[in-house]
Amino acid sequence: MQLTQYGCFIDGVWAPASSGGYVEVLDPATGSLTAEIARGQEADVDAAVASARQALPAWADSLPAQRARLLAAIARRILNEQEELARLESLDTGKPLQQAQADAVAAARFFEYYAGIADKVQGASIPIGTEFFDFTVREPMGVTAQIVPWNYPLQIACRGIAPALATGNTVVVKPAELACLSVLALTRICHEEGLPAGVLNVVTGLGHEAGAALAAHPDINLLVFTGSVQTGRNVMRAAAENIVPVLLELGGKSPNIILPDADVDAIAPLLLKAAFPHAGQTCSAGTRVLVHRSQHKKLVERLSALLKTLKVGPGLQKPDIGALVSRAQQQKVEGYIDLARQEGATVIQGGVWQGDTDMAAGSFVMPTILDDVGAGMRVHQEEIFGPVLSIVAFDDEDEAVRIANATEYGLVAGVWGKDVGATHRIARRVQAGQVFINCYGAGGGVELPFGGYRKSGFGREKGLDALLSYTQVKNICIRIES
């Protein structure tokens, strides 16, 4: 099989990086080489930003209805190519194919949703007396730089690109070197559907080279980053040098709170589904279960039984749990499981790969449940980013809320129970950007504002609230001659 090489996409043209170098892309399920991507560096980022800057005036001044029609066409094209996009996403990230298929549908939905909003971004008039006519308009931020992570490259790229384009911004994307093939396919689709040259540019390469250059670039107007807390700190520092606003979506350690009257048998499968999307490599995964002590034993037994039924394997075979994205991520997760034992937690089952030796070359970790976890343990506090679920018992509402809030994160939470008053009280007190009651997630969630408290980041993506990040308000005041 001939190895595919991908270039950067700058000013409407695919081309190798200026250095001529490439980065290998590996299949996490087998460890085999699948492709090579251009190793973009500072010169390539400069070219991409310059292209986006040049294209900005015409795109910002284009009719909103024109932008809406183009975004709608891109959405239809994504749906038409969803099977190939899902195959690339599964092959590249290791996630089960059915999850990658859902990502492709969500990607199209982002373009559909913001196509519907593009011609409805309005200002307001402000009454300040008869002497003045005062009004506001919302204008695009300008050149938006978007650094996309490896866990949901297609979906996260679309959730940033679609609202940026809808509101008249131009875009420079730096996708993660570990998984970016679906983003490159998306770029091709946008170009083929008629997106003008320079409006969307993509520079592939390493984070500390191309990513760092983009975050520090003096001619961007907004930096959008999804990733780890430490890297988020670094990109904030870089953007601060140029007084560039930052939209951050960082880590999570999201709790599901199980009240005494919850139906454990019914919700146990939903808790595993919440904990293990993309093998737990999801910032919003419900990786902590806080259960009332009266329900603790029953829930552990139910979850343990269900865990034994989960199939682990290569993503294209549609397992329940796929490979982790890399060998380094696999070793990190295995290290946390060892740490849990050292801290006194009980490993119910799972951990180091125990399946077929034929899959030993892949980056697999068995789905794992940790019981007897204390709120002060590192496995309770830190984001593991793997198929590891921690269980903590509590005695009353106050303790449940205290444990739920006892991490540096605040991204998502779930509350489960029949007492409407109790579930609502807890939902109001939990510090998280999204709180679900008797569910965890709602379809693709494209319409729901998404973002975190504390070290889970700031700003909101998805929904109408995303427009606040991708536009800026200008006030215009006119004195009326009497």
Side-chain angles (χ1 to χ4, degrees):
M1 183 178 68
Q2 185 176 3
L3 183 67
T4 302
Q5 288 187 328
Y6 294 87
C8 298
F9 187 76
I10 300 174
D11 203 28
V13 176
W14 294 98
S18 57
S19 67
Y22 286 88
V23 178
E24 293 183 341
V25 178
L26 304 180
D27 178 353
T30 64
S32 60
L33 180 65
T34 59
E36 291 182 334
I37 57 172
R39 186 173 176 173
Q41 298 185 358
E42 185 175 356
D44 305 289
V45 170
D46 288 342
V49 173
S51 174
R53 178 62 59 191
Q54 184 175 9
L56 178 62
W59 182 249
D61 289 341
S62 63
L63 290 175
Q66 177 187 349
R67 298 198 297 267
R69 284 190 288 269
L70 184 50
L71 265 64
I74 292 170
R76 290 191 294 270
R77 184 72 176 277
I78 292 172
L79 288 176
N80 288 340
E81 297 193 22
Q82 62 178 287
E83 294 303 320
E84 175 59 16
L85 289 168
R87 188 191 70 83
L88 285 174
E89 187 87 345
S90 178
L91 181 68
D92 210 13
T93 66
K95 72 177 60 172
L97 183 60
Q98 68 274 20
Q99 294 179 22
Q101 290 168 335
D103 287 351
V105 173
R109 178 64 183 138
F110 278 114
F111 277 90
E112 287 176 344
Y113 183 81
Y114 290 107
I117 291 173
D119 59 353
K120 302 171 187 67
V121 179
Q122 302 173 349
S125 62
I126 302 174
I128 56 173
T130 59
E131 186 179 356
F132 300 96
F133 175 58
D134 192 274
F135 64 98
T136 64
V137 294
R138 282 200 167 272
E139 298 183 338
M141 292 295 293
V143 176
T144 67
Q146 309 211 8
I147 299 177
V148 175
W150 49 257
N151 56 341
Y152 289 84
L154 179 61
Q155 190 175 160
I156 292 178
C158 290
R159 86 178 184 194
I161 292 172
L165 296 182
T167 48
N169 298 277
T170 54
V171 181
V172 178
V173 176
K174 161 52 180 81
E177 60 268 25
L178 287 175
C180 65
L181 301 186
S182 60
V183 178
L184 299 177
L186 168 71
T187 304
R188 171 185 56 78
I189 288 172
C190 291
H191 178 61
E192 291 175 354
E193 287 301 317
L195 194 67
V199 174
L200 173 62
N201 306 271
V202 179
V203 179
T204 56
L206 302 176
H208 68 275
E209 295 176 346
L214 183 58
H217 204 283
D219 201 26
I220 62 173
N221 303 111
L222 172 68
L223 177 60
V224 183
F225 174 80
T226 301
S228 69
V229 172
Q230 185 53 53
T231 306
R233 289 191 184 101
N234 293 337
V235 300
M236 282 184 67
R237 291 190 188 101
E241 289 295 320
N242 298 305
I243 318 297
V244 171
V246 180
L247 174 58
L248 285 182
E249 194 261 288
L250 305 177
K253 194 71 176 177
S254 300
N256 271 301
I257 302 170
I258 316 303
L259 299 181
D261 61 350
D263 185 345
V264 166
D265 288 328
I267 68 176
L270 303 177
L271 296 179
L272 287 186
K273 185 177 179 180
F276 297 151
H278 191 11
Q281 297 170 115
T282 305
C283 54
S284 57
T287 54
R288 292 187 294 152
V289 168
L290 282 50
V291 57
H292 190 269
R293 200 169 300 279
S294 64
Q295 297 264 47
H296 175 235
K297 182 179 179 181
K298 181 179 181 181
L299 180 63
V300 170
E301 291 175 349
R302 182 72 174 123
L303 290 174
S304 298
L306 288 171
L307 202 67
K308 296 175 183 177
T309 69
L310 297 182
K311 179 183 177 183
V312 180
L316 294 179
Q317 296 179 11
K318 295 187 177 182
D320 300 296
I321 307 288
L324 300 187
V325 75
S326 67
R327 183 71 74 184
Q329 187 66 20
Q330 176 193 37
Q331 292 170 349
K332 173 187 173 184
V333 173
E334 291 174 349
Y336 268 110
I337 295 170
D338 288 340
L339 175 63
R341 292 189 179 94
Q342 295 170 22
E343 289 185 315
T346 301
V347 179
I348 299 297
Q349 58 190 44
V352 177
W353 176 246
Q354 300 168 353
D356 297 340
T357 55
D358 292 344
M359 292 166 55
S363 303
F364 295 96
V365 172
M366 300 295 290
T368 303
I369 292 177
L370 304 178
D371 194 15
D372 304 317
V373 175
M377 293 182 182
R378 285 181 58 191
V379 292
H380 179 272
Q381 295 283 335
E382 299 175 12
E383 188 177 42
I384 297 174
F385 231 54
V388 181
L389 176 63
S390 299
I391 300 178
V392 184
F394 66 85
D395 292 305
D396 55 42
E397 280 186 31
D398 288 341
E399 185 181 16
V401 171
R402 186 168 62 252
I403 295 172
N405 292 335
T407 76
E408 61 184 8
Y409 300 108
L411 195 55
V412 181
V415 186
W416 303 79
K418 298 175 183 176
D419 185 334
V420 175
T423 57
H424 184 62
R425 283 193 302 272
I426 292 174
R428 291 184 60 185
R429 295 173 65 192
V430 170
Q431 296 171 350
Q434 286 187 333
V435 181
F436 295 95
I437 297 177
N438 291 324
C439 59
Y440 197 85
V446 172
E447 303 85 354
L448 312 182
F450 180 68
Y453 284 35
R454 301 193 300 272
K455 291 183 180 177
S456 285
F458 49 79
R460 292 296 180 266
E461 300 195 76
K462 301 185 179 183
L464 292 175
D465 287 77
L467 302 181
L468 301 177
S469 298
Y470 289 98
T471 60
Q472 51 193 333
V473 175
K474 176 182 285 184
N475 187 91
I476 299 175
C477 184
I478 304 171
R479 185 175 181 272
I480 307 298
E481 296 289 344
S482 60

